[in-house]
Amino acid sequence: MEAQRQPEWAFAIHGGAGAIPRTASSAAAAPYLDGLSRTAALGRKMLRDGASALETAEAVVVELENNQLFNAGAGAVYTADATHEMDAAIMDGDTGRYGAVAGCKRVRNPVRLCRVILDTRTHMFFAGEGADKLAETHGVSVVDNSYFNTEHRLRALRDAQHNSRVSLDHDEGYGTVGAVVRDCNHNLAAATSTGGMTNKIPGRVGDSPLIGAGTYARNGLAAVSATGKGEAFMRALVAYDICARMKYAGEPLRDAADQIIMNEMETGDGGIIAVDANGTIVMPYNTGGMYRAAADSTGMGMVAIWEETYPIDWKL
Ligand code: ASP
C-alpha cells in the first residue's frame, strides 16, 4: 500500500468496520464495493482538479451519507426509540479548526453542517436541537426524522431488541463513514459521520464527533477517521493518540496505528483509516472486515471489505 514515491495527493474512505460476513456472496458484497468505488472516483476527480483536502473530505462523506447502505445520513441506524440521532465531525489539519455535531435529528447531511460550523462559528461542537436549529439558520438542508427510515435498519433494530442488545457485536453494527485526505498543498483533513449504534439509548453519543477520539487531523502528522465501538475509541482517544505517537515518539504512521488498533485495542473494537503528511495511507482494523477504499496520484486505487483488495474500476 505504501507508495514508493511521495504522491501529490492521497486519500482513503471507510464505510465502517464490522462488515458483512466473509461468507457473504459476491452479489451481497457488490453494492458496497460499487458504492465505495464511486465515492473514491469523486474524491480522485476533485483532488486531480485541485480541490483542497477539506473540500474533498466533506464531499466524499456527503456522498457516503447519501448512500443508504452505510450507517450515516440516509442510512442511519435506529435508536431504541425507533428514531435517528446522528453524530459527525470534520477537521482541517492546516488551521486546526473543526466543526462537530452530536445527536442531530433533522440535518440531512450532518457533515455539511460541520463544515459550516468550521467555517463560520466560534463555538465548534453543537448538540441536539441546537445543532438542528443551527442548520436552519445557515440554510443547511433539514428534513423530517422519518427521512432516515429504511427497512433494513428497522429490521436490524427489531432484531437487536429481540435479542436485547445494543449492536456492539452485530455483523453490520459499525457502518459509520469517514474520509482522510492529503491534498497537493500537503494539507490534511479528516471527516466522520454516523448514525451511531443500532438500539442505542437516545442521547448516547459516540466517538465520531469527538475531536481526538473518532476524528483528528494535524498538518505534518496525520488525518485519522475511526469506526467501531465508540466507547472504546473515546477511552483511548485513538485518533489523537496515533498522532501523539508520531509527534512525541517519532513513530511512523503505520507503526503508531498498528500498535493502537492491533495491540492496544480489543479484537472486535473497530478500525481506522489514516493518511500522513507524505501521503502514506494505512487502514488497520481488528474486526472481521472494514469497508474501505483508497487512491493516490501515483495511480494506486483499491477497494476492500475483508483482507483481499481489488483495484478500483474507474470507469464505473
Ligand atoms: N463509532 C461509531 C459510534 O460508536 C459507530 C461506528 O463506527 O459504526 O457511534
Side-chain angles (χ1 to χ4, degrees):
M1 169 63 49
E2 232 156 308
Q4 292 306 301
R5 59 198 160 89
Q6 199 182 104
E8 275 171 43
W9 51 260
F11 72 97
I13 56 175
H14 71 76
I20 53 175
R22 181 67 196 85
T23 49
S25 66
S26 51
Y32 293 95
L33 295 171
D34 184 69
L36 290 165
S37 298
R38 286 175 194 277
T39 304
L42 170 68
R44 175 179 179 252
K45 180 176 183 332
M46 289 184 71
L47 288 162
R48 275 181 160 180
D49 291 349
S52 71
L54 196 59
E55 286 166 340
T56 308
E58 178 191 355
V60 295
V61 168
V62 165
E63 181 93 351
L64 292 167
E65 286 178 339
N66 290 340
N67 187 333
Q68 290 191 347
L69 286 178
F70 302 109
N71 171 20
V77 297
Y78 285 82
T79 67
D81 284 357
T83 58
H84 309 274
E85 294 184 359
M86 286 149 291
D87 304 335
I90 191 166
M91 185 166 186
D92 179 3
D94 181 23
T95 61
R97 287 188 61 81
Y98 62 91
V101 294
C104 58
K105 294 184 176 168
R106 294 189 293 117
V107 185
R108 185 189 185 117
N109 290 106
V111 75
R112 279 211 196 288
L113 177 58
C114 293
R115 176 66 198 279
V116 168
I117 292 168
L118 181 154
D119 284 340
T120 62
R121 309 301 296 199
T122 311
H123 302 332
M124 292 180 155
F125 194 178
F126 290 83
E129 189 55 29
D132 288 329
K133 283 198 180 130
L134 197 66
E136 284 173 343
T137 308
H138 285 281
V140 174
S141 176
V142 291
V143 289
D144 190 83
N145 195 252
S146 61
Y147 163 83
F148 304 102
N149 291 352
T150 54
E151 272 178 35
H152 66 295
R153 297 293 184 206
L154 189 58
R155 265 199 311 277
L157 174 67
R158 298 301 176 221
D159 181 46
Q161 291 182 328
H162 183 71
N163 297 306
S164 311
R165 61 169 161 69
V166 175
S167 68
L168 298 178
D169 52 0
H170 191 258
D171 282 335
E172 295 181 70
Y174 317 135
T176 292
V177 308
V180 293
V181 187
R182 201 214 67 168
D183 65 25
C184 57
N185 293 317
H186 292 224
N187 287 323
L188 296 171
T192 313
S193 182
T194 188
M197 298 279 192
T198 297
N199 202 25
K200 67 183 180 182
I201 297 169
R204 178 265 185 189
V205 174
D207 60 310
S208 310
L210 198 62
I211 294 302
T215 308
Y216 194 74
R218 173 66 70 88
N219 274 12
L221 295 173
V224 184
S225 172
T227 168
K229 211 175 278 179
E231 285 68 15
F233 281 79
M234 288 188 278
R235 184 185 312 121
L237 282 176
V238 168
Y240 178 72
D241 203 27
I242 290 171
C243 291
R245 294 184 80 100
M246 296 172 72
K247 182 174 174 184
Y248 299 116
E251 288 183 5
L253 172 62
R254 184 175 302 282
D255 293 355
D258 279 351
Q259 172 61 24
I260 291 168
I261 300 299
M262 309 314 278
N263 297 336
E264 293 187 12
M265 300 197 77
E266 286 179 23
T267 302
D269 275 350
I272 59 111
I273 54 169
V275 62
D276 72 10
N278 299 321
T280 302
I281 293 167
V282 300
M283 301 188 275
Y285 57 92
N286 60 36
T287 43
M290 182 169 80
Y291 300 109
R292 61 200 188 281
D296 70 27
S297 60
T298 67
M300 184 278 288
M302 59 74 62
V303 60
I305 301 177
W306 307 288
E307 242 168 65
E308 59 274 46
T309 64
Y310 309 96
I312 292 178
D313 178 2
W314 296 117
K315 291 185 293 296
L316 270 172

